[in-house]
Amino acid sequence: MPVHNADIAAIFEEIADLLEIQGANPFRVRAYRNAARTVGDYGRDLAGLIAKGQPLPKIPGIGDDLAGKIHEIAATGRCSFLERLHRELPAAVTELLKIPGLGPKRVKTLYEQLKVQTLPELQAAAQSGRIRELAGFGEKTEQHILAAIGAQASEARRFKRPVAAQYAEALAAWLAGVAGVERVEVAGSYRRRRETVGDIDILVAARSGSPVMQRFIGYDEVRDVLAHGETRASVMLKCGLQVDLRVVEAAAFGAALHYFTGSKAHNIAIRKRAQERGLKINEYGVFRGENRIAGETEDSVFAAVGLPWIPPELREDQGEIEWAMRAPLPKLVERAELKGDLHCHSRASDGHASIEAMALAAKARGLDYLAITDHSQRLKIAHGLDSGQLLRQMAEIDRLNEKLRGITLLKGVEVDILADGSLDLPDALLGQLDLVVGAVHSRFDLPPARQMKRLLTAMDHPHFTLLAHPATREIDRRPALELDWLKLIRHARQRGCFLELNAQPERLDLFDIHCRMAKEEGVLVAINSDAHKEADFDCLDYGIGQARRGWLEAKDVLNSRSLAQLRPLLRRTM
DNA sequence: GCCGTTTTCGGCCCGACTGTTTTCAGTCG
């Protein structure tokens, strides 16, 4: 049973929960939480490194003790320290922390006073009125607990970007129209362009006396008001999405925007930096003693701690601060820099538009070239093309290229990578195409070693160009393949092929950390729409967001090349 | 538990809102 970074992170997170309930030193608790996040986001498989006998890399926040625990978990899958904690406190109590309003102190009280360990026990205690009897608890708390247990199953989820955008943008536009409102910005993980968002954070600059707070909690889509004060409010929308609003004066907008954009880890790192310089940062500005020295713009906040403005997509405390101290930050790729799209479908397989219609739609969105990559024969459900059908399509593309102006079509295919790594169409045919996009659409359950072999074998094929949606994950539906990413990326470099970042918002595959790994290893990434209809080209924007989170610049992106620059790259020489 | 250009000990980010309290602890972001 392989140990993943996520498994190590989960153990550290559980240790942090249990220590917190025990009332341990809060900074010790934080050390475990930081370590959980650092390990969970770490780009390389730590247990894999250890298994190969390599030393653990020096990771900030991981000292001798935690490194020792990582070694133990990697070797045994267990952590004796966690097991010791379990002997003192049942594992189930950490579940109680998931109830909003219940933190470590209250969970400890519930366990010690009422012997409550599980959610059903908590519910029973609340229903029988025993919770309100406890010191520090009351009737309202008991009611909230009952309501939260009822809501928990249905609403503990994250929202994909298109859904979040729909609500966030509409609400932001509505707030912008309220009297006295000067600026509105959607902050939080949405602004950092994370692939999913747990809630929406909206920041408003308003003149004093603006009714914006009242208008917010009275918004049509609001189901519950969770909290509201003078400057801050939280609501639950009917769709189950939580929205937090913060209102500040214009002079503090930059500081507040930085604060509410996060991430939390980035903010902590920036504040520590401020502290080292004798400054204090809060959402109202940067202060030296009583004097506010910055805060109107984000630029001014960063400048106050000796840094350039850092793009929101990089604010994860994943080295962006250290990088900015010693070198210019990357100039992250923008949508306008994409010159073409190397993966889309037509009506010939499972698309909904003709090749010509797709070409015109791509041209209308500023693209200069478009590869038609319908599915191959094995994918029956998508009406995959056999050799004869693909040959006829190639002839059709030749005819269209004579007719079309301002866009060039490339002949391609999204060929199935079969379980043994072979490709689903004959070599002679693949060799006639401009590019071969290979993809896994079946046998996601192969053992990791065989899955890895499958992909490496496919890349060894002389005509293989580009690996589509490499992890094959679909958000909330299908987990990512367990791959040795560094090995895969280095193999791609060696074989002269490329990786796709599939821009469909339910895929967003490559992951951000693997984009960054590809960049570091010198493997170009193609940001592709995988469009099945004309409007899908707009998905490229989601791909750009993910690419930016992966530190990619235009030079790291295959389809930022002009067609003339691209053609030689597609021609395999090995 | 981590960490070091004021430190190997003594720090560790900061403020708003709620509910239970009569001045604040707990929770959250």
Side-chain angles (χ1 to χ4, degrees):
Chain A
M1 187 67 186
V3 174
H4 305 107
N5 291 353
D7 301 322
I8 301 170
I11 288 175
F12 286 169
E13 200 61 60
E14 191 179 354
I15 290 174
D17 283 345
L18 290 168
L19 285 175
E20 201 168 28
I21 295 169
Q22 287 190 340
N25 177 348
F27 299 105
R28 188 178 172 209
V29 173
R30 184 191 293 171
Y32 278 100
R33 292 212 194 282
N34 285 342
R37 188 183 56 80
T38 306
V39 170
D41 291 344
Y42 199 68
R44 317 240 341 241
D45 178 37
L46 293 175
L49 293 178
I50 290 168
K52 284 181 209 150
Q54 295 181 25
L56 207 57
K58 181 71 197 132
I59 305 173
I62 308 290
D64 290 344
D65 182 274
L66 290 175
K69 291 191 170 77
I70 291 173
H71 273 281
E72 183 197 358
I73 298 165
T76 66
R78 297 163 42 208
C79 174
S80 50
F81 179 59
L82 176 61
E83 287 169 4
R84 200 181 90 204
L85 290 175
H86 280 163
R87 286 195 289 276
E88 298 163 10
L89 208 57
V93 294
T94 59
E95 285 297 302
L96 304 182
L97 291 172
K98 297 202 176 96
I99 298 294
L102 290 189
K105 297 277 174 21
R106 285 176 163 168
V107 167
K108 184 169 198 254
T109 304
L110 287 165
Y111 173 63
E112 288 178 346
Q113 307 278 318
L114 298 179
K115 300 284 171 261
V116 164
Q117 295 185 26
T118 66
L119 288 177
E121 287 168 3
L122 180 68
Q123 188 169 29
Q127 280 165 345
S128 64
R130 282 179 288 153
I131 288 178
R132 72 179 72 177
E133 308 296 335
L134 298 172
F137 290 74
E139 206 173 328
K140 277 198 159 178
T141 305
E142 195 173 79
Q143 293 305 317
H144 283 150
I145 288 171
L146 280 174
I149 292 173
Q152 219 227 0
S154 58
E155 283 175 6
R157 62 187 175 125
R158 296 182 66 85
F159 290 75
K160 289 174 210 161
R161 283 200 69 84
V163 179
Q166 193 181 322
Y167 290 99
E169 302 295 340
L171 185 47
W174 190 73
L175 292 173
V178 175
V181 168
E182 296 169 319
R183 286 191 67 180
V184 180
E185 197 84 49
V186 181
S189 56
Y190 184 83
R191 183 164 179 247
R192 301 200 312 280
R193 300 182 74 162
R194 278 198 57 179
E195 54 198 31
T196 60
V197 298
D199 62 10
I200 298 283
D201 298 288
I202 299 183
L203 179 67
V204 163
R207 289 190 289 275
S208 66
S210 168
V212 62
M213 195 56 87
Q214 285 306 313
R215 296 288 296 278
F216 173 66
I217 62 174
Y219 185 59
D220 205 32
E221 295 283 329
V222 169
R223 190 182 65 203
D224 292 308
V225 177
L226 305 174
H228 82 104
E230 295 281 306
T231 64
R232 182 169 207 159
S234 295
V235 300
M236 183 65 77
L237 300 184
K238 290 169 186 166
C239 65
L241 184 57
Q242 183 175 326
V243 186
D244 298 334
L245 176 70
R246 189 63 189 260
V247 182
V248 297
E249 56 172 0
F253 194 79
L257 184 57
H258 178 255
Y259 180 79
F260 287 102
T261 296
S263 67
K264 190 183 173 93
H266 169 90
N267 285 354
I268 288 174
I270 292 287
R271 286 183 184 188
K272 278 172 105 164
R273 218 179 135 76
Q275 210 177 37
E276 288 160 14
R277 288 166 169 67
L279 303 172
K280 184 180 76 167
I281 297 186
N282 60 26
E283 54 264 59
Y284 301 112
V286 183
F287 297 85
R288 185 182 301 283
E290 297 290 302
N291 292 331
R292 179 157 79 180
I293 62 166
E296 190 165 0
T297 64
E298 279 194 329
D299 268 321
S300 73
V301 175
F302 282 112
V305 292
L307 292 172
W309 183 81
I310 297 176
E313 294 91 337
L314 301 187
R315 299 184 198 167
E316 299 290 346
D317 192 25
Q318 290 286 310
E320 73 278 7
I321 295 170
E322 295 77 4
W323 188 291
M325 281 162 57
R326 62 170 197 273
L329 287 162
K331 188 188 171 306
L332 301 179
V333 62
E334 294 175 13
R335 170 65 185 81
E337 292 175 307
L338 293 186
K339 302 285 199 299
D341 187 342
L342 297 176
H343 182 172
C344 82
H345 298 269
S346 78
R347 202 177 273 160
S349 63
D350 60 347
H352 303 291
S354 68
I355 295 175
E356 183 169 9
M358 293 298 278
L360 294 175
K363 179 184 165 184
R365 286 162 178 81
L367 300 180
D368 300 331
Y369 55 86
L370 174 67
I372 302 297
T373 57
D374 276 311
H375 289 288
S376 64
Q377 54 197 8
R378 173 64 66 98
L379 207 59
K380 299 272 190 263
I381 195 170
H383 311 109
L385 276 51
D386 62 22
S387 298
Q389 290 168 317
L390 187 54
L391 279 168
R392 283 193 288 282
Q393 183 179 78
M394 290 161 69
E396 183 187 353
I397 290 174
D398 283 334
R399 285 194 297 277
L400 281 167
N401 271 334
E402 288 177 19
K403 176 175 137 187
L404 289 167
R405 292 290 168 265
I407 183 136
T408 302
L409 290 170
L410 297 177
K411 286 175 274 192
V413 68
E414 181 179 3
V415 65
D416 260 52
I417 298 173
L418 306 180
D420 63 357
S422 62
L423 303 181
D424 182 34
L425 285 168
D427 282 4
L429 180 59
L430 296 177
Q432 297 176 48
L433 295 163
D434 293 311
L435 78 166
V436 173
V437 177
V440 165
H441 293 112
S442 61
R443 296 306 309 273
F444 305 106
D445 61 342
L446 288 181
R450 277 185 64 196
Q451 199 69 269
M452 194 64 205
K453 179 95 186 334
R454 176 189 195 180
L455 295 180
L456 299 183
T457 302
M459 284 185 187
D460 286 339
H461 196 287
H463 303 304
F464 191 97
T465 318
L466 173 65
L467 179 61
H469 42 74
T472 75
R473 69 94 174 251
E474 291 184 27
I475 295 171
D476 288 343
R477 282 196 54 214
R478 186 164 62 218
L481 300 179
E482 291 173 19
L483 301 174
D484 181 338
W485 285 96
L486 191 61
K487 189 172 177 182
L488 183 82
I489 286 167
R490 287 183 172 164
H491 199 75
R493 183 182 60 198
Q494 194 190 348
R495 301 298 306 158
C497 42
F498 309 100
L499 299 181
E500 174 179 85
L501 193 181
N502 189 294
Q504 291 287 318
E506 64 274 7
R507 285 195 184 270
L508 290 176
D509 175 6
L510 288 180
F511 289 93
D512 48 10
I513 56 175
H514 300 135
C515 288
R516 195 169 169 188
M517 195 183 279
K519 175 193 176 92
E520 284 165 1
E521 295 294 325
V523 172
L524 298 183
V525 173
I527 303 173
N528 292 335
S529 70
D530 195 0
H532 285 66
K533 55 184 185 295
E534 290 104 315
D536 284 353
F537 290 112
D538 294 332
C539 292
L540 285 170
D541 203 45
Y542 299 118
I544 289 289
Q546 180 89 334
R548 290 170 63 90
R549 289 183 55 80
W551 292 56
L552 297 191
E553 304 175 77
K555 67 179 173 60
D556 307 312
V557 175
L558 180 64
N559 49 325
S560 72
R561 305 308 198 258
S562 69
L563 185 57
Q565 293 167 323
L566 177 75
R567 283 198 188 274
L569 293 173
L570 298 181
R571 211 158 292 130
R572 295 281 300 277
T573 54
M574 54 191 108

